[in-house]
């Protein structure tokens, strides 16, 4: 977020915006010095380190994984709110033992692939690239793709059903996304494939992104397709007929140096979580106000062991 502020401030030559970002970076510089300690297992305690990115689905899945590991007799150390790069670096270095990541994220950001392919081709390519430092236990059974979403009323009145329909009106529209997306190659792919040039790009914490769309603060948002707030805020996810975005199957990943038995304990999760079940769990937290622990427990109870 701080980097986004600096970049935006420099681009529009707004000194206060850039200064705010630099202030955030100064704080993060101190935090950055602590990252090795934050990621390293606590001294004297053998625990499986479970990492998660900073959004609801990741919090729920991390707790589901932690619950399965504890049931198998492992101590668990949760490391949450890690950025995509920090999480991947932690896995590759063996400082994070288990995490869930998405095939399209790794395809675009780690392998630097700008083409799209069938889901299994992407999974095979990503898992082959991760080996031998990180092993793919397997896909969890659902895809959480990026998509562009608009208010249902706008889609109906303006005839929007695909991303291509936005191109003519984009110069009068504002788009919102999380702190990462506008710096990711997926955004460049969507923007260039459909010729999108919005009047303004705004970055939000994912917690507030869908509300911003629902209340009209922005016209278009990047949505996670398993997010329960899509329905809660009456949004439509536009189709991507030119396949600008890759598939995003959720992959269960285990580092090479993880304790023996971790893979076996988590193997029953492979193929066990459907998109509707994941969307219900996300909605339970973001809309109904449940804790990630409660949502994870309910999700776990709904799965076939």
């Amino acid at each position: 977020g701080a980097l986004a502020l600096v970049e935006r401030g420099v681009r529009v030559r707004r000194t206060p915006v850039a200064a705010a970002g630099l202030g955030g970076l100064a704080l993060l510089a101190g935090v950055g010095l602590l990252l090795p300690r934050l990621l390293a297992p606590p001294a004297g305690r053998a625990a499986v380190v479970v990492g998660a990115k900073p959004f609801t689905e990741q919090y729920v899945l991390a707790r589901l994984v932690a619950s399965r590991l504890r049931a198998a007799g492992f101590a668990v150390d949760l490391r949450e709110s890690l950025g995509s790069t920090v999480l991947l670096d932690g896995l590759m270095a063996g400082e994070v033992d288990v995490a869930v990541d998405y095939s399209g994220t790794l395809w675009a950001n780690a392998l630097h692939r700008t083409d799209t392919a069938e889901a299994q081709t992407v999974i095979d390519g990503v898992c082959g690239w991760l080996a031998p430092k990180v092993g793919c236990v397997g896909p969890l059974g659902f895809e959480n793709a990026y998509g562009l979403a608009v208010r249902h009323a706008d889609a109906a009145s303006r005839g929007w059903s695909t991303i291509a329909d936005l191109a003519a009106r984009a110069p009068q529209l504002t788009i919102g996304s999380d702190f990462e997306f506008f710096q990711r190659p997926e955004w460049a792919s969507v923007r260039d494939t459909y010729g999108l040039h919005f009047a303004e790009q705004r970055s939000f914490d994912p917690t507030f992104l869908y509300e911003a769309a629902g209340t009209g603060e922005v016209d278009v948002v990047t949505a996670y397709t398993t997010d329960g707030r899509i329905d809660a805020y009456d949004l439509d996810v536009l189709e991507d007929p030119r396949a600008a975005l890759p598939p995003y199957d959720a992959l269960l990943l285990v580092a090479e140096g993880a304790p023996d038995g971790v893979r076996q304990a988590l193997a029953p999760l492979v193929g066990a979580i459907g998109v509707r079940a994941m969307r219900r769990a996300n909605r339970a937290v973001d809309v109904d106000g449940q804790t990630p622990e409660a949502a994870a427990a309910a999700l776990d109870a709904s799965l076939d062991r």
Side-chain angles (χ1 to χ4, degrees):
L3 285 169
L5 281 173
V6 173
E7 191 263 346
R8 182 182 172 200
V10 171
R11 185 174 65 247
V12 301
R13 298 184 180 180
R14 291 182 184 172
T15 301
V17 174
L22 288 170
L25 285 175
L27 175 62
L28 289 172
V31 174
L33 295 175
L34 297 176
L35 275 178
R37 290 187 180 183
L38 290 173
L39 289 174
R45 180 186 174 199
V48 179
V49 179
V50 178
K53 299 184 185 187
F55 57 92
T56 297
E57 181 167 291
Q58 287 276 303
Y59 300 147
V60 173
L61 290 173
R63 283 161 175 77
L64 172 60
V65 167
S67 175
R68 290 292 179 104
L69 289 172
R70 291 188 182 109
F74 293 100
V76 176
D77 188 6
L78 281 177
R79 306 295 174 90
E80 300 181 300
S81 298
L82 303 177
S84 294
T85 300
V86 174
L87 182 62
L88 179 58
D89 288 348
L91 280 166
M92 297 294 277
E95 295 167 342
V96 172
D97 295 308
V98 183
V100 174
D101 211 332
Y102 304 91
S103 59
T105 297
L106 295 167
W107 180 261
N109 293 274
L111 278 68
H112 306 293
R113 296 287 295 265
T114 57
D115 57 317
T116 57
E118 295 293 329
Q120 191 58 52
T121 300
V122 174
I123 291 172
D124 291 343
V126 164
C127 291
W129 181 85
L130 288 169
K133 292 184 177 180
V134 177
C136 291
V137 181
L140 292 176
F142 69 91
E143 180 187 3
N144 184 2
Y146 268 119
L148 297 191
V150 298
R151 288 178 293 279
H152 174 72
D154 289 345
S157 64
R158 298 175 180 178
W160 294 342
S161 61
T162 75
I163 298 174
D165 296 331
L166 293 177
R169 292 292 300 272
Q172 290 81 49
L173 303 176
T174 299
I175 184 171
S177 189
D178 58 51
F179 291 125
E180 288 189 2
F181 187 72
F182 292 130
Q183 283 73 49
R184 290 169 62 128
E186 294 101 313
W187 166 237
S189 176
V190 172
R191 181 195 62 207
D192 297 344
T193 298
Y194 291 101
L196 299 176
H197 302 283
F198 288 95
E200 184 181 3
Q201 295 176 187
R202 298 185 59 187
S203 295
F204 293 83
D205 184 287
T207 303
F208 307 110
L209 183 59
Y210 297 87
E211 182 179 0
T215 60
E217 188 175 351
V218 295
D219 303 295
V220 184
V221 293
T222 57
Y224 306 126
T225 54
T226 56
D227 202 305
R229 290 169 294 184
I230 292 173
D231 296 335
Y233 286 101
D234 198 23
L235 305 179
D236 286 358
V237 178
L238 301 176
E239 296 179 13
D240 176 19
R242 300 175 191 171
L245 292 164
Y248 291 86
D249 290 279
L251 300 176
L252 182 60
L253 306 177
V254 175
E256 179 188 19
D260 292 340
V262 167
R263 290 192 184 205
Q264 292 86 338
L266 299 178
L269 293 177
V270 174
I273 306 174
V275 64
R276 290 183 179 178
M278 195 67 247
R279 187 176 287 183
R280 283 195 301 270
N282 290 332
R283 180 177 178 127
V285 177
D286 292 324
V287 179
D288 301 333
Q290 292 186 21
T291 64
E293 288 84 358
L299 177 61
D300 198 5
S302 71
L303 305 180
D304 292 330
R305 296 260 179 180

